[in-house]
């Protein structure tokens, strides 16, 4: 030891720990940390780092390693400290770092103190009295330490486990049960906070109190804010379900206009969103492990959708569809090929997604429009009536005459179009360079195999059956199938465009559907109809028509553009005809409603050489050169609105010293605003600094990093002028 030039003051320390340094491997690891024998604290910390198995000289990293153990109060690392007489030194460093002075300290007490201090920082009212003895004096350090774990890929699960442990020890759910919810909205260190807020939101929706606020947040903005928090992200389906419930309840104010064209315009403009929100409500609800807490809300939403929306929309629709010129209000499905396909000079791929109703098509349209290499248009088309698969598929083919035979066969130019081969025969009669293929048979094919199918063809009909097949066989999965259909078709278009030199796509459907979670009651079934020629749940075809209350009749020849004198009978509302069998209790189609008859036509033209997408950028708005408080709030702005060429991006924003060490809490921000008004893209973040000594002559930095790439996007130098921080005992 004498040969190392160690000062006399450090020799007793090293002699005390001679057993540690007698081991060559431990000593080498100590030197690898870059520790010199000049400072007692660094020597002790270096020994702790070696015993913890880490390669950086950091007390915080030592503590994180201890907390990552299976049993924190029986940590092998602490046992090693005790063996080498370092345990007391560890607790002294803990006191220096966090201001912890708990009697008879333990790791579990320290963990509780860290979370209590963080909760006290984030909750805007007094924390429970029973928690206050655990408060640490250096709030900023405690908050920054937990933030670093919460936002770390390596330690995030450890953070969750510790939060769960503290929540149980402190009975967080019960302790905060009577807290004002508006004081909890910024707290994200306990999962129980989201449980409390979700309970509050559900209660307001059950009371139909749509104007309820918690501080600055209304119900939708509160849900959106919580989804961006740590534990809120894990409850995303809950929050998105409640947002949809809010919008469905808001539909009370919707009025259905007069006139068939006006109804179509209203549905195309905004009424379709109610069907969309209903679908999203059940999609999210079905993802939950436990949906029981929302059962009363589910019943309310079901009643509103069935009675207040469909109950008003369908009778009005079916009253107006009886108008003489109603069928001329928008393009007809039986004219699809002539209007949309025949004039295309480029190869066109027509994707027919069975049962993709208009609102699902709008979601697909939005996804496709996000691609900067595409030009996308959408408009509704009126399906056949009756609105079912084989007739709709036949109508989409080129034809001179579309018929339904006496025994119910769908005839296109006298050909019974029941399968892929017969459809291809009809298509090739009009366009020899054409093919019909099943989506499932080609979706996984290699690029080379796809080229062999598409090369030399002018028109390709691709039949996609995701929604209807699930609706017919596993009804309650139909909304899941809608989500999958949107993803499948989006990916398929990109794959064909890139691999098969194809730029023009048209996505449409044969029919839509009505889905309600509650099964049709016997009182909603129309009986005494079995004597008619063709009887299905949502339509009947006969010569005389059904003369019953709640039933409309239209001439089949008028609907198909031929001279057929039979009548199509269909329920005015959501009722069904009583038929044999139990199918179609939730998922039905074939009748007359916007949900069944309005199908999308999405025209997609992919282009080469368009500008690539770029991430939405953020910039500091506040003018800042000096930090004078341990809590600082700054304003930032998202420089551009998210659009087809500007994509959402996530950023991590914090303060660091000149060596890159974190000195503040770390904020995550998702730049996803689509607001064109720049003032509405300004956001505010709060930073809590570690309670430590800062050197006014050294540089410190505010930095922002792209969370996905890790690339630093801005850096602003600041002076840390905090005369009361560190050992002066400043208590936040």
């Amino acid at each position: 030891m004498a040969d190392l030039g160690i000062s006399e003051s450090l020799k007793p320390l090293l002699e005390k720990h001679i057993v540690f340094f007698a081991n060559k491997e431990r000593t080498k690891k100590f030197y690898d940390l870059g520790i010199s024998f000049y400072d007692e604290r660094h020597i002790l910390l270096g020994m702790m780092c070696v015993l913890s198995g880490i390669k950086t000289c950091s007390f915080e990293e030592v503590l994180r390693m201890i907390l990552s153990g299976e049993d924190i109060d029986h940590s092998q690392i602490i046992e090693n400290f005790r063996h080498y007489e370092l345990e007391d030194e560890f607790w002294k460093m803990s006191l220096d770092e966090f201001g912890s002075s708990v009697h008879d300290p333990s790791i579990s007490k320290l963990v509780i103190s860290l979370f209590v201090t963080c909760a006290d920082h984030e909750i805007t009212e007094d924390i429970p009295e029973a928690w206050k003895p655990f408060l640490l004096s250096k709030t900023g350090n405690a908050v920054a330490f937990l933030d670093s774990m919460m936002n770390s890929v390596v330690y995030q699960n450890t953070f969750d486990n510790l939060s769960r442990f503290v929540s149980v020890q402190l009975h967080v759910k019960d302790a905060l049960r009577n807290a004002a919810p508006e004081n909890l909205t910024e707290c994200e260190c306990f999962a129980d906070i989201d449980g409390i807020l979700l309970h509050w939101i559900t209660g307001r929706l059950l009371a139909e109190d749509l104007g309820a606020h918690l501080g600055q947040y209304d119900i939708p903005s509160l849900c959106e804010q919580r989804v961006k928090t740590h534990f809120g992200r894990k409850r995303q389906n809950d929050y998105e379900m409640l947002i949809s419930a809010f919008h469905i309840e808001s539909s009370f104010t919707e009025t259905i206009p007069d006139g068939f064209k006006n109804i179509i315009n209203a549905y195309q403009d905004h009424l379709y969103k109610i069907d969309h929100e209903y679908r999203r409500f059940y999609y999210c609800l079905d993802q939950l492990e436990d949906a029981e807490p929302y059962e009363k809300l589910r019943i309310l939403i079901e009643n509103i959708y069935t009675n207040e929306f469909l109950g008003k929309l369908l009778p009005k629709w079916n009253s107006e569809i009886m108008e003489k010129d109603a069928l001329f209000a928008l393009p007809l499905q039986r004219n699809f090929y002539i209007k949309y396909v025949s004039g295309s000079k480029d190869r066109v791929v027509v994707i027919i997604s069975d049962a993709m109703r208009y609102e699902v098509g709008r979601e697909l349209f939005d996804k496709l429009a996000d691609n900067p290499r595409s030009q996308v248009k959408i408009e509704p088309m009126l399906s056949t009536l009756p609105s079912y698969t084989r007739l709709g598929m036949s109508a989409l083919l080129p034809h001179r005459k579309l018929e339904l035979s006496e025994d119910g066969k769908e005839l296109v130019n006298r050909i019974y179009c029941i399968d892929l081969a017969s459809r291809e025969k009809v298509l090739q009669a009009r366009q020899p360079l054409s093919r019909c293929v099943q989506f499932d048979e080609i979706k996984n094919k290699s690029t080379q195999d796809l080229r062999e199918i598409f090369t030399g063809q002018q028109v390709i009909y691709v039949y996609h059956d995701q929604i209807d097949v699930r609706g017919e066989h596993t009804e309650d999965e139909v909304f899941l199938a809608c989500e999958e259909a949107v993803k499948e078709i989006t990916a398929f278009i990109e794959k064909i465009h890139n691999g098969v030199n194809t730029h023009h796509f048209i996505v449409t459907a044969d029919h839509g559907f009505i889905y309600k979670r509650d099964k049709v009651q016997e009182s909603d079934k129309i009986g005494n109809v079995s004597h008619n020629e063709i009887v299905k749940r949502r339509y009947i075809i006969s010569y005389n028509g059904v003369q019953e209350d709640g039933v409309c009749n239209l001439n089949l020849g008028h609907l198909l553009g031929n001279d057929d004198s039979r009548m199509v009978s269909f329920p005015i509302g959501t009722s069904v005809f009583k038929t044999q069998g139990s199918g179609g209790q939730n998922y039905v189609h074939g009748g007359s409603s916007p949900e069944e008859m309005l199908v999308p036509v999405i025209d997609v033209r992919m282009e080469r050489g368009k500008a690539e997408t770029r991430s939405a950028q953020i910039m500091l708005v506040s003018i800042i050169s000096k930090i004078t408080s341990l809590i600082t709030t700054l304003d930032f702005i998202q420089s551009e609105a998210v659009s087809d060429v500007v994509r959402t991006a996530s950023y991590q924003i914090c303060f660091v010293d000149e060596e890159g060490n974190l000195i503040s809490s770390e904020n995550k921000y998702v730049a996803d605003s689509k607001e064109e008004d720049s003032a509405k893209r300004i956001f505010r973040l709060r930073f809590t600094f570690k309670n430590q000594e800062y050197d006014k002559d050294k540089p410190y930095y505010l930095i922002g990093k792209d969370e996905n790439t890790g690339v630093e996007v801005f850096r602003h130098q600041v002076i840390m002028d905090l005369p009361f921080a560190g050992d002066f005992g400043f208590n936040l």
Side-chain angles (χ1 to χ4, degrees):
M1 293 291 180
D3 295 338
L4 296 175
I6 300 167
S7 67
E8 291 297 322
S9 63
L10 290 178
K11 286 182 179 179
L13 171 69
L14 298 177
E15 289 172 358
K16 178 181 178 181
H17 297 291
I18 192 68
V19 175
F20 178 91
F21 288 104
N23 182 289
K24 293 183 179 179
E25 183 179 352
R26 281 197 300 268
T27 305
K28 181 181 184 303
K29 290 180 179 178
F30 180 87
Y31 278 115
D32 288 344
L33 290 170
I35 306 295
S36 299
F37 289 101
Y38 67 87
D39 177 86
E40 180 175 342
R41 185 182 185 279
H42 280 81
I43 292 172
L44 294 170
L45 179 57
M47 294 168 66
M48 292 180 195
C49 293
V50 171
L51 294 172
S52 302
I54 62 176
K55 298 179 180 179
T56 56
C57 188
S58 163
F59 175 78
E60 291 184 348
E61 189 63 18
V62 169
L63 181 55
R64 282 190 282 265
M65 286 296 294
I66 293 170
L67 297 181
S68 299
E70 292 184 5
D71 186 346
I72 56 176
D73 273 333
H74 296 86
S75 168
Q76 183 59 52
I77 296 175
I78 294 293
E79 288 294 325
N80 291 340
F81 291 173
R82 188 174 298 127
H83 178 74
Y84 291 103
E85 300 183 59
L86 292 171
E87 185 177 16
D88 288 344
E89 303 300 335
F90 170 81
W91 289 115
K92 287 178 184 178
M93 289 185 188
S94 176
L95 175 61
D96 290 342
E97 184 73 15
F98 303 117
S100 171
S101 58
V102 178
H103 175 69
D104 190 20
S106 68
I107 296 297
S108 60
K109 288 180 182 178
L110 176 58
V111 169
I112 292 172
S113 295
L114 288 167
F115 276 88
V116 165
T117 304
C118 185
D120 182 62
H121 173 70
E122 295 175 342
I123 297 172
T124 56
E125 66 177 46
D126 283 347
I127 60 174
E129 286 296 323
W131 296 9
K132 290 182 178 179
F134 291 96
L135 283 171
L136 302 172
S137 61
K138 296 185 177 180
T139 301
N141 291 14
V143 172
F145 177 77
L146 287 184
D147 275 356
S148 69
M149 292 190 71
M150 182 175 68
N151 296 320
S152 166
V153 174
V154 176
Y155 293 111
Q156 199 169 87
N157 288 338
T158 298
F159 175 87
D160 291 352
N161 293 334
L162 295 175
S163 175
R164 193 178 304 113
F165 165 76
V166 175
S167 184
V168 171
Q169 297 300 312
L170 297 180
H171 306 285
V172 168
K173 186 174 182 180
D174 292 332
L176 297 179
R177 189 183 301 278
N178 296 321
E182 59 267 25
N183 295 324
L184 304 177
T185 58
E186 306 302 325
C187 184
E188 58 176 317
C189 58
F190 294 123
D192 288 322
I193 298 295
D194 288 286
I196 293 169
L197 294 176
L198 287 166
H199 179 76
W200 180 85
I201 297 168
T202 303
R204 293 301 84 215
L205 291 174
L206 284 171
E208 301 180 36
D209 181 10
L210 302 184
H213 279 69
L214 287 183
Q216 62 179 314
Y217 299 113
D218 60 11
I219 289 175
S221 62
L222 175 61
C223 292
E224 291 166 359
Q225 183 266 342
R226 290 305 300 182
V227 165
K228 295 177 181 179
T229 63
H230 177 69
F231 287 112
R233 282 190 286 272
K234 302 175 190 297
R235 304 296 295 271
Q236 181 171 351
N237 285 315
D238 299 70
Y239 285 115
E240 290 190 357
M241 177 199 67
L242 294 176
I243 291 174
S244 291
F246 177 89
H247 290 307
I248 292 169
E249 288 193 25
S250 301
S251 68
F252 267 131
T253 60
E254 297 287 359
T255 57
I256 311 302
D258 295 325
F260 194 59
K261 179 63 173 177
N262 292 333
I263 294 174
I264 291 170
N265 289 340
Y267 190 85
Q268 181 183 3
D269 179 64
H270 60 277
L271 291 179
Y272 79 90
K273 295 177 183 178
I274 302 174
D275 285 317
H276 174 78
E277 297 296 353
Y278 180 80
R279 173 166 64 86
R280 289 296 303 170
F281 176 86
Y282 274 111
Y283 172 78
C284 293
L285 184 72
D286 291 343
Q287 307 305 306
L288 303 180
E289 291 183 5
D290 180 15
E292 181 60 31
Y294 302 113
E295 179 58 18
K296 290 183 180 178
L297 179 62
R298 187 201 71 78
I299 293 171
L300 175 62
I301 294 302
E302 188 72 16
N303 288 336
I304 292 173
Y305 180 73
T306 300
N307 300 322
E308 298 297 327
F309 180 58
L310 295 181
K312 293 177 180 178
L313 174 63
L314 269 60
K316 198 71 173 285
W317 167 275
N318 284 312
S319 171
E320 302 294 353
I321 202 172
M322 305 300 291
E323 293 177 359
K324 180 180 178 182
D325 296 328
L327 295 189
F328 300 102
L330 77 170
L332 297 177
Q333 189 178 51
R334 55 186 166 91
N335 297 327
F336 169 79
Y337 187 89
I338 293 176
K339 180 173 176 58
Y340 297 104
V341 181
S342 62
S344 179
K345 296 180 181 179
D346 298 325
R347 175 165 57 223
V348 58
V349 176
V350 178
I351 304 169
I352 304 171
S353 185
D354 201 339
M356 178 176 279
R357 64 186 187 181
Y358 182 76
E359 62 90 7
V360 181
R362 282 298 294 250
E363 182 174 324
L364 175 60
F365 165 78
D366 291 337
K367 294 279 188 185
L368 295 170
D370 282 341
N371 187 336
R373 299 170 63 194
S374 68
Q375 294 181 351
V376 190
K377 297 184 295 183
I378 184 173
E379 65 180 10
M381 180 171 66
L382 194 65
S383 79
T384 61
L385 182 61
S387 52
Y388 68 94
T389 298
R390 290 199 307 273
L391 188 58
M393 294 295 186
S394 297
L396 291 168
L397 292 166
H399 59 269
R400 297 182 304 278
K401 189 171 186 179
L402 178 66
E403 302 172 273
L404 193 62
S405 69
E406 291 286 336
D407 56 353
K409 292 180 178 179
E410 301 76 15
L411 305 179
V412 180
N413 300 337
R414 302 289 184 180
I415 297 174
Y416 180 25
C417 283
I418 192 175
D419 55 20
L420 200 68
S422 56
R423 292 171 188 167
E424 185 171 86
K425 181 178 180 181
V426 170
L427 182 61
Q428 290 179 345
R430 176 65 176 267
Q431 171 52 264
L433 301 177
S434 62
R435 292 193 66 171
C436 291
V437 295
Q438 290 287 354
F439 178 88
D440 285 344
E441 293 180 3
I442 67 169
K443 65 179 181 180
N444 295 322
K445 285 188 178 295
S446 67
T447 300
Q448 183 58 43
D449 289 341
L450 289 171
R451 286 174 181 165
E452 291 178 4
I453 293 171
F454 283 76
T455 299
Q457 305 301 325
Q458 183 67 19
V459 177
I460 300 97
Y461 270 37
V462 180
Y463 292 93
H464 175 267
D465 192 3
Q466 174 71 268
I467 300 171
D468 197 54
V469 71
R470 298 273 278 281
E472 295 286 1
H473 296 97
T474 51
E475 292 180 298
D476 289 346
E477 293 183 8
V478 68
F479 287 164
L480 175 61
C482 292
E483 296 284 327
E484 293 174 358
V486 169
K487 293 176 182 177
E488 283 185 345
I489 294 172
T490 303
F492 180 75
I493 289 175
E494 188 69 25
K495 181 177 182 178
I496 298 302
H497 166 61
N498 291 330
V500 193
N501 194 31
T502 300
H503 313 299
H504 188 194
F505 301 84
I506 299 173
V507 185
T508 190
D510 49 351
H511 59 79
F513 65 90
I514 291 177
Y515 173 91
K516 296 187 300 174
R517 180 55 59 93
D518 288 352
K519 296 187 183 298
V520 176
Q521 303 298 312
E522 282 300 314
S523 58
D524 291 325
K525 295 179 181 179
I526 302 170
N528 193 31
V529 295
S530 59
H531 59 281
N532 290 282
E533 286 80 3
I534 299 176
V535 180
K536 302 294 181 182
R537 296 185 69 79
R538 286 287 290 167
Y539 68 92
I540 289 174
I541 296 177
S542 63
Y543 279 98
N544 298 319
V546 175
Q547 306 303 314
E548 296 283 346
D549 291 340
V551 178
C552 284
N553 297 280
L554 280 174
N555 176 259
L556 180 60
H558 172 64
L559 294 165
L560 299 185
N562 60 38
D563 57 1
D564 197 318
S565 62
R566 288 175 294 173
M567 304 296 291
V568 180
S569 304
F570 48 91
I572 290 174
T574 59
S575 299
V576 298
F577 295 115
K578 187 176 291 188
T579 60
Q580 292 183 347
S582 58
Q585 293 294 302
N586 299 65
Y587 170 88
V588 295
H589 62 87
S592 176
S593 68
E595 290 74 15
E596 294 164 286
M597 293 187 66
L598 288 182
V599 295
V601 178
I602 307 170
D603 188 280
V604 187
R605 295 179 186 270
M606 304 293 291
E607 298 181 5
R608 297 187 185 277
K610 267 191 119 173
E612 293 296 325
T613 58
R614 59 185 181 275
S615 297
Q617 298 293 307
I618 59 172
M619 299 186 301
L620 178 66
V621 174
S622 302
I623 298 175
I624 177 176
S625 60
K626 184 182 293 185
I627 300 294
T628 59
S629 171
L630 285 171
I631 299 178
T632 297
T633 300
L634 300 176
D635 288 332
F636 299 81
I637 188 171
Q638 180 182 317
S639 57
E640 299 176 277
V642 169
S643 66
D644 56 349
V645 295
V646 179
R647 62 178 180 273
T648 297
S650 297
Y651 293 96
Q652 292 178 321
I653 308 164
C654 61
F655 285 83
V656 298
D657 62 18
E658 60 183 336
E659 295 176 352
N661 298 313
L662 190 69
I663 63 170
S664 74
S665 57
E666 189 174 44
N667 282 291
K668 278 190 174 183
Y669 185 75
V670 180
D672 59 0
S673 175
K674 296 183 179 180
E675 293 287 351
E676 292 296 331
D677 184 353
S678 60
K680 293 181 179 179
R681 297 198 303 272
I682 293 176
F683 59 95
R684 180 166 293 177
L685 299 177
R686 184 170 67 169
F687 299 87
T688 303
F689 292 90
K690 289 185 176 183
N691 198 334
Q692 65 183 36
E693 289 189 10
Y694 295 97
D695 189 336
K696 288 191 293 184
D697 297 324
K698 288 186 177 181
Y700 298 87
Y701 303 94
L702 168 68
I703 64 168
K705 287 185 177 181
D706 186 307
E707 189 175 27
N708 183 46
T709 64
V711 173
E712 191 174 294
V713 296
F714 63 74
R715 173 177 286 246
H716 298 282
Q717 184 172 334
V718 297
I719 296 171
M720 298 297 291
D721 188 6
L722 295 168
F724 299 108
D727 295 334
F728 291 90
F730 188 88
N731 191 344
L732 292 178

